[in-house]
Amino acid sequence: MAGRIPEEFVNEVRDSVNIVDVISQYVSLEKRGKDYVGLCPFHQEKTPSFSVSPDKQFFYCFGCHRGGNVFKFIMEKEDLTFPESVKQVADFAGISLPASYKEQPVKLNPLMEMHKEAADFYHQILMTTKIGERGLEYARSRQLDDETLKHFQVGYAPDRGDLLLTYLREQGFEDSLLSQSGLFVQSKDGRLFDRFRDRLMFPMTDEAGHPVAFSGRRLSDNKEEAKYLNSPETSVFNKSNLLFHFAEAKKHARKEGHLVLFEGHMDVISAYKAGVKTGIASMGTSLTEQQVYMIRRITKNVIINYDGDDPGLHAAERAVGLFKQAGNFNLGIVVLPEKMDPDEYVKQYGAEHYQGAIKGAISTTDFFLYRLKQKYNLNNEREKVNYLAEAIQEIAGLNPVEQDLYVNRLSEESGVSVEALKVNLSRARRRNRRVEQHTNYQLPEEPAPMPEMVQPESPLKLKAQKAQQRLLYAYIYSDEARKYLLGNGFVFPEASYEKLAKLWLTYIETHEKVSIKEFLDFIPDELQSIIVSTDIMELPGTITLEELEAQVRVLNLCKIDEEIDQHMQAIAAAKSRGDQLSVLRETQAILQLRQLKRQEEAAGDG
């Protein structure tokens, strides 16, 4: 199963890394008991159901039921083949591939491959050609040095209608694919033209770092053209699910302990130059719930640094609301002076001052009070009273220590006594409790929320699956149980379980040392989650003959019940069409099955 990579090398790589360290690059994990938990990177959820076992070196999600070892995780998350995932984990461990292995190039989705070619093409034009000097001159005027241009793979699209088109055709891309890429516009007669012209090009990458879209900054003074032109959405690009610089920023977030959220990619770039490596930005749109979830998987600590003008502050308020709605975030807000954006601030005050501004981010309560002050004329007594009423209402939702701090501060700022403010605070707390009690009282009348994942399996199917899991666990860990089942001609009802049983036989016959960790690399990807979900239950390895027979009997009874259900459905269908002969035949079959069920149950009682 390991392809051309020697099995010994696969084992060496697997044993050289801790799966917790690898998965922590993608998911913020917290220790819970002997395992680690976090939000699943494969489906959206509100409470963590994704578990990583350092002892077993497995991951498993109890929500979407994906599971496997470190190679399986990388394959799923990065959309790689098994050899590619081994190479990536080996790179993480600092292990070189064996000389005998001929590395195969990673095969990307064709549209991703096209965007990679386009990004390289635009970058080379900017950095090495005469036609790119116009773009490079503009980049220098924005104080973008070579290291920054290279890190962000910035490029230039010349003012030509077919330059990229001609290049990609030469690389073998067909027009049918080119038209789906978003890199071109199509005329009424079907001809393709480069979408981006005379623009500084900023590639937008997915979570794995693959270019999937572009944002082009206009260089001309023609204000009839959009200042920034973004790629349209395609099969590989959804702007709601993409954050600029996310693939790189999350690596630094593990060290820095937070991410910094900006409005635009130029702010991210300026912050990067100033030493803030954890910057991310939405794709020229308001923050979305999907993007909040992406961030939450990496860290709960987020600093919001939007523009200092009114639209930027309003956008920051909306972002705070989204983060609070998602819950479990520790937020900081940077409010820059003189209505500056981060790019302007860095240029005027320098990197050191900007890093200080990030470290000095204020709390969401401070930000709320700051915005509230702008809403009222505090020199007017009536407006001051309204300001204090709103401020107290906000403070009432804080913990007692924070309430005390802010009440004292309000007293100093307003000249109103602490005692008077605390009276209003007590009233606000009582109002909050009444609202909460009323809300809780109404909750039972609300319809039950739909589960995040698929509807649960029927009790019958769950019962059969549990029995199969127990038997498979015994089949793997107990030689005696395996011999008994094989000797009695037992066959697992589900084809996937039966295939695993046969693969285990092959595996133990061809390997001197056997382990579940190595077995996962021996089996097809789609079967790994069954092994992991079975093994993670930690059932007792020893199993008595009586328990084996009981579990087999459970499967037999489940099979009989399933057949009875099928005949009941056939009776209902026959009645609807008036077919009495079929009703009689199906009824006789049910009677025979019920007799067989009684015999099976009696054997168990005996």
Side-chain angles (χ1 to χ4, degrees), residues 111-154:
L111 286 182
M112 287 184 177
E113 187 65 46
M114 186 189 299
H115 276 82
K116 181 179 181 301
E117 291 282 355
D120 291 342
F121 181 68
Y122 286 141
H123 183 66
Q124 288 303 313
I125 287 178
L126 177 72
M127 303 301 291
T128 64
T129 69
K130 187 170 183 61
I131 199 174
E133 288 178 357
R134 173 174 165 80
L136 193 60
E137 183 180 342
Y138 175 80
R140 298 292 186 237
S141 73
R142 297 297 300 266
Q143 299 178 18
L144 300 180
D145 55 27
D146 286 357
E147 190 276 329
T148 304
L149 294 172
K150 181 178 179 182
H151 176 81
F152 290 94
Q153 196 68 4
V154 180

Side-chain angles (χ1 to χ4, degrees), residues 35-58:
D35 294 333
Y36 289 79
V37 298
L39 293 169
C40 181
F42 302 116
H43 81 281
Q44 192 161 328
E45 58 184 5
K46 293 180 180 178
T47 55
S49 64
F50 182 81
S51 177
V52 183
S53 170
D55 292 342
K56 297 178 180 295
Q57 292 293 294
F58 290 164

Side-chain angles (χ1 to χ4, degrees), residues 1-10 81-84 86 97-105 107:
M1 293 284 175
R4 285 187 288 272
I5 300 181
E7 189 172 331
E8 296 79 10
F9 180 77
V10 173
T81 64
F82 180 78
E84 291 166 353
V86 173
L97 288 169
S100 60
Y101 174 68
K102 184 178 180 181
E103 185 178 343
Q104 300 296 316
K107 291 184 179 179

Side-chain angles (χ1 to χ4, degrees), residues 349-570:
Y349 292 102
E352 188 174 343
H353 275 81
Y354 182 68
Q355 290 177 19
I358 293 293
K359 291 176 182 175
I362 62 177
S363 70
T364 54
T365 303
D366 281 324
F367 180 61
F368 175 85
L369 295 176
Y370 169 79
R371 292 289 284 160
L372 198 59
K373 285 178 183 176
Q374 296 176 323
K375 179 179 173 183
Y376 292 103
N377 176 11
L378 299 184
N379 293 319
N380 179 292
E381 295 300 324
R382 181 177 59 83
E383 292 204 33
K384 182 189 285 189
V385 169
N386 291 335
Y387 162 72
L388 290 173
E390 277 200 60
I392 287 294
Q393 185 61 47
E394 176 73 11
I395 293 169
L398 304 177
N399 67 51
V401 173
E402 291 174 317
Q403 288 177 4
D404 202 47
L405 284 171
Y406 283 106
V407 164
N408 282 311
R409 187 189 300 177
L410 280 180
S411 175
E412 292 175 5
E413 291 175 351
S414 65
V416 177
S417 71
V418 170
E419 291 73 20
L421 291 174
K422 284 189 173 180
V423 170
N424 283 1
L425 181 63
S426 296
R427 291 172 181 166
R429 285 201 298 255
R430 285 197 296 273
R431 282 196 300 271
N432 288 349
R433 281 196 294 270
R434 285 196 296 270
V435 170
E436 187 177 342
Q437 289 167 359
H438 179 72
T439 304
N440 290 339
Y441 178 76
Q442 296 293 333
L443 280 177
E445 300 178 9
E446 296 293 325
M450 293 295 290
E452 293 180 30
M453 297 307 299
V454 295
Q455 293 289 340
E457 302 281 7
S458 68
L460 186 65
K461 194 164 185 179
L462 286 174
K463 192 175 181 181
Q465 186 177 14
K466 189 175 179 181
Q468 283 191 103
Q469 281 184 317
R470 180 66 182 110
L471 288 170
L472 181 63
Y473 193 90
Y475 190 94
I476 289 173
Y477 283 100
S478 169
D479 293 340
E480 291 75 18
R482 185 168 58 255
K483 288 176 184 176
Y484 172 84
L485 293 172
L486 290 171
N488 285 274
F490 173 77
V491 175
F492 285 93
E494 285 189 37
S496 54
Y497 279 82
E498 179 61 17
K499 187 173 183 179
L500 279 170
K502 291 178 178 177
L503 285 169
W504 179 254
L505 283 180
T506 304
Y507 174 71
I508 61 178
E509 287 171 0
T510 55
H511 292 73
E512 289 186 20
K513 287 180 62 179
V514 298
S515 75
I516 290 294
K517 288 191 294 184
E518 293 184 14
F519 181 56
L520 287 181
D521 298 329
F522 186 81
I523 64 178
D525 301 336
E526 64 272 13
L527 300 180
Q528 288 196 19
S529 60
I530 296 176
I531 290 291
V532 173
S533 63
T534 300
D535 197 71
I536 211 166
M537 295 171 66
E538 294 188 333
L539 300 168
T542 57
I543 183 170
T544 63
L545 176 61
E546 290 75 15
E547 187 185 351
L548 274 177
E549 292 175 340
Q551 297 294 350
V552 172
R553 193 174 299 111
V554 166
L555 291 177
N556 290 339
L557 290 171
C558 287
K559 186 174 185 301
I560 292 171
D561 284 339
E562 188 177 343
E563 290 180 6
I564 289 174
D565 285 346
Q566 291 171 356
H567 287 295
M568 292 291 288
Q569 292 172 17

